[in-house]
């Protein structure tokens, strides 16, 4: 059984807590603290589908299976770190401050464009794209990419877009438009924002 130190907490969302893996600083362990575990099953299935399709994991944390821990069942994922070793911060963190957006505007805009292309090329379908579930990984002083850490997969009753490339593309494009709309709505006061978004 994996012994997780409560001090190793990286972050928490509405459903899960995310800890540094005790034996591997490149991985994290996520423990469900609220909500239902069917969600984990749906997620694990979708990751299985992506692994079978042999997609690129450049902008999506890879799932490494479930483990027993002192805090309950945990799901192991890649841990996203910046080039300096710090755990990467969320896109919400960067867009929440006009100063940070301005300071990082070039890497932010290329990273946003890069993520859209990644999702389309690898046919990765997401649920609602949210800035708190996407990390800006600084790969160098002035270079970065976005990495999705949560909310991939398809909650449709009959997930046709898991099987049809055309439907997947339409779905990804729709999700992306809504993502840009939600960023604009949430950060309306951030004057550095318009230059980052495509339309
Ligand atoms: N792979 C990762 N590498 C680094 N930090 C991470 C990673 N995954 C999650 N985090 C951090 O932990 C937080 C919570 O993780 P996660 O989004 O998986 O939890 P959640 O409860 O499922 O979220 P939600 O509220 O969106 O349902 C994230 O917002 C992020 O700050
Ligand atoms: Mg989350």
């Amino acid at each position: 059984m994996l012994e997780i130190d409560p001090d190793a907490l990286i972050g928490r969302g509405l459903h899960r807590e995310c800890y540094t893996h005790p034996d591997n600083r490149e991985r994290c362990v996520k423990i469900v603290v609220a909500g239902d575990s069917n969600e984990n099953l749906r997620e694990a299935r979708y990751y299985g589908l992506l692994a079978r399709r042999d997609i690129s994991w450049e902008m999506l944390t890879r799932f490494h299976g479930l483990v027993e821990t002192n805090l309950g069942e945990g799901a192991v994922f890649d841990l996203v770190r910046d080039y300096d070793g710090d755990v990467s911060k969320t896109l919400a963190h960067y867009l929440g401050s006009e100063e940070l957006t301005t300071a990082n505007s070039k890497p932010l805009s290329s990273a946003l464009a890069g993520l859209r292309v990644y999702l389309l090329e690898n046919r990765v379908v997401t649920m609602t794209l949210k800035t708190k579930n996407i990390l800006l990984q600084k790969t160098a002083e002035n270079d970065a990419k976005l990495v999705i850490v949560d909310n991939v997969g398809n909650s449709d009753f009959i997930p046709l877009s898991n099987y049809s490339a055309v439907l997947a593309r339409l779905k990804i494009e729709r999700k992306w438009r809504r993502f840009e709309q939600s960023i604009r709505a949430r950060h309306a006061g951030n004057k550095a924002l318009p230059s980052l978004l495509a339309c």
Side-chain angles (χ1 to χ4, degrees):
M1 192 173 78
L2 214 58
E3 196 68 32
I4 293 178
D5 177 356
D7 288 343
L9 183 72
I10 295 169
R12 60 161 68 88
L14 295 173
H15 311 99
R16 300 189 285 191
E17 288 178 345
C18 178
Y19 295 89
T20 316
H21 192 294
D23 308 327
N24 187 344
R25 69 188 295 284
E26 303 294 319
R27 294 198 177 166
C28 64
V29 184
K30 296 190 186 185
I31 312 281
V32 175
V33 289
D36 81 270
S37 50
N38 279 337
E39 194 51 26
N40 276 359
L41 197 65
R42 183 197 57 72
E43 185 182 68
R45 281 210 192 106
Y46 192 71
Y47 273 98
L49 193 135
L50 295 178
R52 283 195 298 282
R53 275 206 347 242
D54 200 23
I55 65 153
S56 151
W57 298 97
E58 196 195 348
M59 300 189 198
L60 178 60
T61 47
R62 195 172 192 140
F63 174 58
H64 299 282
L66 301 172
V67 285
E68 282 307 311
T69 82
N70 54 320
L71 305 175
E73 188 181 75
V76 180
F77 287 91
D78 295 330
L79 198 170
V80 184
R81 290 183 188 272
D82 291 345
Y83 69 100
D84 61 5
D86 286 354
V87 175
S88 300
K89 297 200 169 60
T90 65
L91 184 55
H93 168 81
Y94 286 94
L95 299 184
S97 141
E98 190 171 318
E99 202 180 319
L100 277 179
T101 307
T102 306
N104 295 282
S105 83
K106 246 183 89 184
L108 274 169
S109 71
S110 65
L112 275 162
L115 180 62
R116 181 173 171 277
V117 169
Y118 168 86
L119 294 174
L120 286 166
E121 279 185 351
N122 291 281
R123 236 195 300 147
V124 172
V125 172
T126 58
M127 318 252 272
T128 308
L129 280 165
K130 293 181 184 158
T131 55
K132 65 170 180 171
N133 290 326
I134 302 175
L135 305 185
L136 184 77
Q137 182 179 31
K138 297 188 138 190
T139 50
E141 170 90 42
N142 240 318
D143 205 7
K145 64 180 179 170
L146 292 172
V147 181
I148 297 182
V149 300
D150 185 21
N151 240 7
V152 297
N154 197 323
S155 57
D156 294 350
F157 182 56
I158 301 171
L160 291 176
S161 53
N162 290 359
Y163 307 101
S164 153
V166 175
L167 291 182
R169 166 170 273 275
L170 290 173
K171 196 175 194 78
I172 293 163
E173 282 176 339
R174 193 168 66 239
K175 297 280 177 181
W176 192 267
R177 276 196 302 277
R178 291 195 186 145
F179 176 51
E180 292 202 338
Q181 283 162 4
S182 74
I183 292 178
R184 264 192 225 97
R186 179 175 288 259
H187 302 287
N190 183 342
K191 292 190 208 66
L193 201 62
S195 64
L196 298 182
L197 303 174
C199 44

